């Protein structure tokens, strides 16, 4: 999985053989002859210098594709102040890009970014659309490091020591977040701050480049990396599954050891995550109230190892509160499971009753007639028939023979109320006794600003038409998505609470419309692509569940985060205030969210009137 | 054309009659009962107060539509910090908006903006899509004026004295520049700075509101406006063709005089502009090289009263330079008219020869076979056959029997080189003598940042699909348009020069690619919607032509300005630097422009590779 970067190579085939013998799977090297000064303006020279690189017949194209990443020359400066240098560089670059696409269509092309001033470079690069472009950027600016400890570096030079992330950020803003442009990030001897590393982790890093001079020797004289560098490697492998690239001389005697070491590191840190295949995949949230869930979905939900244990704990605590020990024999608790699905909450309730030795009567309410079959089979074969009674009805409409002491439901979505738990429970609470208990008793949504080119591009791709260049349509940018977020940077220190709902709701006139304005501060220069949404809930008293990153319940798998995009990414400076307006609106037959930002720029109101995305009642 | 605003009215029919008798054509007044406190939360009151306004049967709907602008109540505060007030206001506003749309669909609704903090108000207003919404905004903030001369106004109060343009700007940014939201601008006793007035002139002002207390009495004791106010009125009528509204008491004895005065003002200032019907209409630029022009277009071009006189002057000067007075009899000047159309330049050349008494030989080159018929008829019937010779060919390909002393062409577009004059003349100059003259001898494009919701919305409307809410697609935002600009605000002090082309071009290798980076400064808070493009040209020596606003040639009608939009409007603060990158790119068979902004925000590169808009060769 490791690539060998060679500044130049005389014999391409020999270089590939050498790299492969030393455990590298491919090389990165310029295709054109080194130091060959091409001339485009003066006529006789133009003719003479049309031959600028090796023949493409040295290898079959499959080998070009698999073994070679084509690097463009180092001496290109498309953004020079000097129009002649700029013009010559543009021609050189175009010639090399075309040649690279000629030898290996859909291959990889390697381009170095050297400053934040790269408008012309980015313009030319983005006109080549067949290849994946790897953009080399140093993790930290070498000038920056120098200016910190060298007294001979003047202030002026220090000002050039800009954040290298800006080089990359400017490039991709110019080219409108092209999904084919990825990073080749060069590890530096000095490691940047943790937040800067986290920001890089939110970017599409394809390769982590290790220059050979960063290796140190261990006691056995083998090249290894410092513990600090290992830590960085491990983060990038675990979070982004990056590949490695070594920058070394072809005749370096340790070539093989570098590769072996890095291949070993990759194996070691590669995470075995059961959800791995789902990372950064975007899905439309479920609408279980409107659509009936299917077997696969039920199975996924029921597989959660912790959720039903927590529900059982909450029911146990509620049963103990309703019935003191001395009344165990005389009092029966009426319990309703609202939206029982295939019965996991019934099981939790029966377990809780057994553990606490409380007598219960359980009404099991379910509207999905497909899962009613399963419930009936369970009732017939496993459940005590006198304790459990099945009711085939929508929980907002059924009429039970008595009122409940406890209602139990699992209607929460990734954003808390987004599967209409408030509307369902407000409708069902007429069947709850005056002093009855709802499990859950409350839940809150939480919001936080994020940067993720990857998610932004995934959403944009949904609306891709034959016109590849078309920008995102509002419809997909006004939707909410469920995502297992990995390639994401959290822009501000922590999420903030948005909306809270409590049950039962004893307000004289229930109003589930909500509006809130939240303010966040950007920790670092970054790009706002949208917001991550989470929820936490109090099931009963101290029994809680959360997917909020700061309080995430250990082992809880049932919910991914919510991604709420904004139409146009916003470039942020460290310290910028991000002000977001969020609405929950309840209409006649549907509920929806609207959102807008007021700072640092103003956006339009997204999903006005639920025009792009709503939840049907 | 004047409307009467009444704070309240008891009998609607009587009020309308009174207004019409006093020369007003309609009234603006609240539909709901004044001072009627509606209640939405406490149950018994909710029932009691469902009746909140008059019956819609007091008039037939046509009268509602034509005679009444429905004002919403004054006591609405949808953006209060207090959730209860906010909630009550939202309900009130919704009730009134619905009632207004009920009595007169597609009518006008009048809403007051009271602060820059109007996110919830704008959200609710924009959910009503049947009507035109008139947003009342004072031209200057009354608090601001007070804080300048009153010593008892504390600093804190002074801070509330924000620019009222911001109230409107925030509103329309929230609702994404809705074309149905227009301004009702209230004239203040104190008149703001000229630049602030110019900025208002760039906005969609539908009504200019004149409070009765602004009127002063003239010697005959009639109410009139001060000269300064008259000046403001005249600007708004001439530039925006606004209507007037008077705010007065129904029993004011001068009602009739106000209306008569304003109606008179409107008549007086209404401009008789032959191009009036074309203002702010957007058109796609011509491609005369690729498409043949038609009779209508030729006629419009030939109607220009000044253009061909200037050409004639230029040719005269060139003839005098080629042939000194003493050689008049012995020297013949060879002149080529490149792209002669229906011959106006041939006429100019013949006139010039006659005036200067120089002998000429004129080759008339035209590729459009339709206009060749006209040329041939002119040649047969009017032109000296031995002097004029017709050549039916593309000017880039014809082979004349001799080389020319002077080539004359009229290939310039609104943006100078945008109809491929450089490519055509570079191709044709092989037929020009070494020391020959090209008329025009040079031309430059000029660029300047502008604000215009109107133009932005016109461009957006091109791509409107059945999904009304869809935001602009990139394709229309990556086009250039030709517009007679009126409802526009010029954001920075003056245009800057972009690209210049000179002819003949004696460079060893001609390169008509161009790149330039320009920086402008915003004079005032505003919104960047794109750029206006102009050109000027040196026909020969001191004979010039220009549509650059600072140097516009008097009487020149042939060219409107160019509008170059950007995908996403950018909110600007006074003093912000606007940095734009502009490219002219020449490909195999086409030429195109690309553009992007780098500051104050970065944009993607528009029209990359000419994907949305190009000029065919």
């Amino acid at each position: 999985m490791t690539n060998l970067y060679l500044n130049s190579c005389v014999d391409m085939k020999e270089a590939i053989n050498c790299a492969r013998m030393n455990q590298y799977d491919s090389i990165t090297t310029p295709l054109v002859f080194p130091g060959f000064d091409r001339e485009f303006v003066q006529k006789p020279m133009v003719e003479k210098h049309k031959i600028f690189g090796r023949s493409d017949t040295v290898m079959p194209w499959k080998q070009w594709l698999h073994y070679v990443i084509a690097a463009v020359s180092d001496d290109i400066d498309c953004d020079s102040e000097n129009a002649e240098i700029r013009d010559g560089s543009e021609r050189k670059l175009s010639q090399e890009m075309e040649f690279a696409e000629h030898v290996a269509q859909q291959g990889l092309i390697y381009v170095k970014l050297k400053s934040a001033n790269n408008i012309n470079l980015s313009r030319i690069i983005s006109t080549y659309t067949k290849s994946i472009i790897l953009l080399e950027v140093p993790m930290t600016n070498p000038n920056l490091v120098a200016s910190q400890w060298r007294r001979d570096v003047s202030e002026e030079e220090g000002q050039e020591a800009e954040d290298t992330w800006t080089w990359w950020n400017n490039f991709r803003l110019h080219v409108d977040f092209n999904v084919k442009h990825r990073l080749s990030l060069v590890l530096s001897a000095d490691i940047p701050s943790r937040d800067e590393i986290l920001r890089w982790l939110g970017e599409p890093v394809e390769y982590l480049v290790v220059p050979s001079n960063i290796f140190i020797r261990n006691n056995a004289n083998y090249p290894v990396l410092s513990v600090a560098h290992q830590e960085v490697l491990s983060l990038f492998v675990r979070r982004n599954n990056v590949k490695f690239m070594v920058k070394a001389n072809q005749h370096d005697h340790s070539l093989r050891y570098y590769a072996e070491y890095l291949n070993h590191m990759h194996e070691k840190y590669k995470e075995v995550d059961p959800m791995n295949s789902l990372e950064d995949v975007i899905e439309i949230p479920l609408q279980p109230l409107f659509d009936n869930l299917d077997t696969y979905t039920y199975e996924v939900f029921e597989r959660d190892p912790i959720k039903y244990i927590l529900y059982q704990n909450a029911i146990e605590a509620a049963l103990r509160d309703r019935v003191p020990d001395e009344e165990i024999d005389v009092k029966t608790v009426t319990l309703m499971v609202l939206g029982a699905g295939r019965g996991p909450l019934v099981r939790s309730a029966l377990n809780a009753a057994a553990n606490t030795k409380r007598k219960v009567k359980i009404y099991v309410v379910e509207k999905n007639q497909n899962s009613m079959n399963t419930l009936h089979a369970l009732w017939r074969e496993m459940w005590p028939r006198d304790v459990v009674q099945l009711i085939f009805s929508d929980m907002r409409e059924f009429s039970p023979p008595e009122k409940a002491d406890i209602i139990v439901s699992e209607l929460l979505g990734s954003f808390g109320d987004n599967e209409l738990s408030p509307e369902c429970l407000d409708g069902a609470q007429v069947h709850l006794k005056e002093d009855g208990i709802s499990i859950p008793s409350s839940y809150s949504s939480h919001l936080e600003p994020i940067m993720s080119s990857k998610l932004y591009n995934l959403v944009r791709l949904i609306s891709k038409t034959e016109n590849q260049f078309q920008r995102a349509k509002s419809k997909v940018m006004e939707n909410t998505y469920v995502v297992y977020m990995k390639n994401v940077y959290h822009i501000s220190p922590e999420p903030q609470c948005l909306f809270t709902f409590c049950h039962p709701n004893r307000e004289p006139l229930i109003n589930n419309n909500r509006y809130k304005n939240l303010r966040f501060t950007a920790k670092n220069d970054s790009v706002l692509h949208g917001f991550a949404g989470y929820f936490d809930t109090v099931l009963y008293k101290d029994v809680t569940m959360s997917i909020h990153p700061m309080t995430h319940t250990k082992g809880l798998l049932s919910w991914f985060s919510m991604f709420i995009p904004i139409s146009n990414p916003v470039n942020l400076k460290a310290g910028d205030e991000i002000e977001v307006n969020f609405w929950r609106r309840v209409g006649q037959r549907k509920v929806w969210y609207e959102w807008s930002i007021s700072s640092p720029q103003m956006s339009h109101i997204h999903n006005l009137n639920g025009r792009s995305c709503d939840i049907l009642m």
Side-chain angles (χ1 to χ4, degrees), chain A residues 98 123 152 238 256 303 329 332 379 402 411 423 434 511 538:
Chain A
E98 269 162 43
R123 197 204 140 267
D152 59 329
R238 279 191 280 132
R256 183 192 195 91
R303 214 182 290 148
D329 296 325
T332 299
W379 178 73
E402 58 182 315
L411 304 165
E423 284 68 24
E434 199 63 40
N511 180 358
V538 175

Side-chain angles (χ1 to χ4, degrees), chain A residues 24 210-226 230 246 252-262 264-265:
Chain A
Y24 297 89
V210 186
S212 59
N213 64 6
I214 286 187
F215 282 95
I216 51 178
R217 297 275 158 177
N218 68 3
N219 293 340
N221 205 30
Y222 282 110
V224 295
L225 291 174
S226 70
Q230 287 179 41
V246 174
D252 187 323
H253 294 300
S254 299
L255 272 189
R256 183 192 195 91
Y257 302 123
Y258 303 148
E260 280 177 352
Y261 180 79
L262 291 174
H264 167 70
M265 285 287 137

